[in-house]
Amino acid sequence: MKDYLVRGLVQSKNCRVFACTTQHLLETARQKHDLWPTASATLGRLMSATLMLGAMNKNHEKMTVTMNGGGSIGTLMACTHSDGKIKAFVGNPHVHYTYEDTGKLGVGLAVGNQGTLQVIKDMGLKEPFVGTVPIQTGEIGEDFSYYFMVSEQVPSVVSLGVLVDTTNEILSSGGFIIQLLPEASDEDISYIEDKMRNFPAVSALLNEGHTPEEILKMIFEDVEILDTQDLSFECDCSKDKMRNALMTVGKDEIQAMIDEDHGCEMTCQFCNSKYTFSEDELKSLLEDIQ
């Protein structure tokens, strides 16, 4: 199954819904960053949530989601232009915890809960929209649900999941979001709560071959699928962008690179691509600054 996202509406229950499968893009990220299983689960959940959050915006605005809960995984960051393309990284890719009672991957342990979840939406205005909330559990799904309630005043169910093989390969990844519309009734809320009470793990459903549409129809028989969007892990880094970044470090620092190392190598934090600048290229850069 290719990676894609669906957006839908359930008029009978006054809610809008999103669902996605992100197995292949997470596998790409795993290979680029050498992610260990819990780091894979963490980044997969973050990317699925960010892509669905991006699908809520129709103007392809740039969105950056950052989390740091004080845990050993460090900072998590994902960026998308709401076009189905995403790039992301974790501070420490070599993190692996499991919960003793369930044996499940310990995402909350890796992330921690002493920090914030921040969403920045650049809508082309003078100032971007910035929403920041305290991290609740570090499990990411609950944290996004809290973000929607506090920062956007939209009650939401956020279900995210990743299944990792014993070989570290990604077996499944994805999730769904249910958002209540303003006209939702107490009966609508009760229906969703009842459905969610014993609903299977989304990672298991995806691993069994269920599509995002089928998962939504398991919750709402009358869901109307409005559109779909292909998803991929793609980084927009380039040597020109790295050169522009180098120009910001200052003339003294660049001169030191020339004198001491006779060049430099820069690595993109989002995809681990490496860019080499020779001594002559640095000298040319120095001339442009002066």
Side-chain angles (χ1 to χ4, degrees):
M1 192 190 317
K2 68 177 182 179
D3 291 339
Y4 71 102
L5 177 151
V6 298
R7 190 166 60 93
L9 184 67
V10 188
Q11 291 181 325
S12 65
K13 296 293 182 286
N14 294 301
C15 62
R16 62 176 186 168
V17 292
F18 305 83
C20 66
T21 174
T22 56
Q23 175 189 358
H24 302 294
L25 66 86
L26 178 55
E27 178 62 25
T28 299
R30 182 189 73 83
Q31 293 179 18
K32 286 183 179 294
H33 293 296
D34 188 31
L35 299 172
W36 288 7
T38 304
S40 290
T42 303
L43 193 61
R45 291 185 192 183
L46 182 74
M47 289 196 293
S48 293
T50 300
L51 286 163
M52 288 188 283
L53 182 58
M56 298 171 191
N57 304 298
K58 300 173 184 176
N59 300 321
H60 293 327
E61 60 210 33
K62 182 181 179 182
M63 182 180 302
T64 302
V65 178
T66 308
M67 290 184 75
N68 191 321
S72 59
I73 203 166
T75 296
L76 324 172
M77 183 179 288
C79 299
T80 180
H81 281 85
S82 307
D83 55 358
K85 297 175 183 177
I86 194 166
K87 58 183 182 179
F89 72 90
V90 298
N92 178 10
H94 296 159
V95 172
H96 184 52
Y97 299 107
T98 56
Y99 292 116
E100 289 184 11
D101 54 343
T102 63
K104 293 182 178 180
L105 296 172
V107 171
L109 293 175
V111 175
N113 57 13
Q114 302 299 310
T116 57
L117 162 64
Q118 183 180 73
V119 176
I120 301 174
K121 299 179 186 177
D122 187 351
M123 295 175 278
L125 306 174
K126 283 187 177 180
E127 296 293 331
F129 165 85
V130 180
T132 305
V133 297
I135 290 174
Q136 300 301 294
T137 65
E139 294 288 341
I140 301 180
E142 293 95 328
D143 301 306
F144 269 88
S145 182
Y146 185 75
Y147 163 80
F148 285 124
M149 175 60 80
V150 173
S151 193
E152 301 194 2
Q153 287 82 53
V154 182
S156 307
V157 173
V158 182
S159 178
L160 307 168
V162 174
L163 205 56
V164 185
D165 200 354
T166 52
T167 60
N168 284 1
E169 288 182 89
I170 309 304
L171 294 176
S172 69
S173 176
F176 62 82
I177 295 176
I178 303 168
Q179 293 198 313
L180 292 170
L181 298 174
E183 54 270 27
S185 66
D186 289 342
E187 288 77 11
D188 296 330
I189 296 169
S190 295
Y191 175 88
I192 295 168
E193 288 176 344
D194 288 343
K195 275 288 186 179
M196 290 298 100
R197 197 158 285 126
N198 295 303
F199 198 74
V202 66
S203 57
L205 292 173
L206 290 167
N207 190 47
E208 290 166 7
H210 292 285
T211 65
E213 294 95 329
E214 287 170 346
I215 291 171
L216 291 178
K217 285 175 181 174
M218 291 171 70
I219 309 169
F220 306 103
E221 291 181 1
D222 58 341
V223 61
E224 176 189 359
I225 302 300
L226 301 176
D227 55 35
T228 64
Q229 181 182 55
D230 289 340
L231 305 175
S232 61
F233 186 100
E234 289 188 33
C235 188
D236 55 356
C237 66
S238 66
K239 191 161 184 175
D240 280 345
K241 288 185 177 181
M242 289 296 180
R243 190 177 189 275
N244 291 336
L246 262 179
M247 293 181 78
T248 66
V249 304
K251 293 184 286 185
D252 292 345
E253 188 71 28
I254 295 171
Q255 188 63 55
M257 294 175 190
I258 294 170
D259 296 339
E260 297 168 17
D261 303 315
H262 307 290
C264 75
E265 182 179 83
M266 299 180 70
T267 302
C268 174
Q269 62 184 352
F270 286 104
C271 69
N272 273 337
S273 295
K274 298 184 186 303
Y275 297 89
T276 302
F277 292 84
S278 66
E279 185 172 351
D280 288 340
E281 285 175 315
L282 291 180
K283 287 178 179 177
S284 172
L285 182 66
L286 210 51
E287 289 173 6
D288 289 346
I289 295 175
Q290 293 169 344

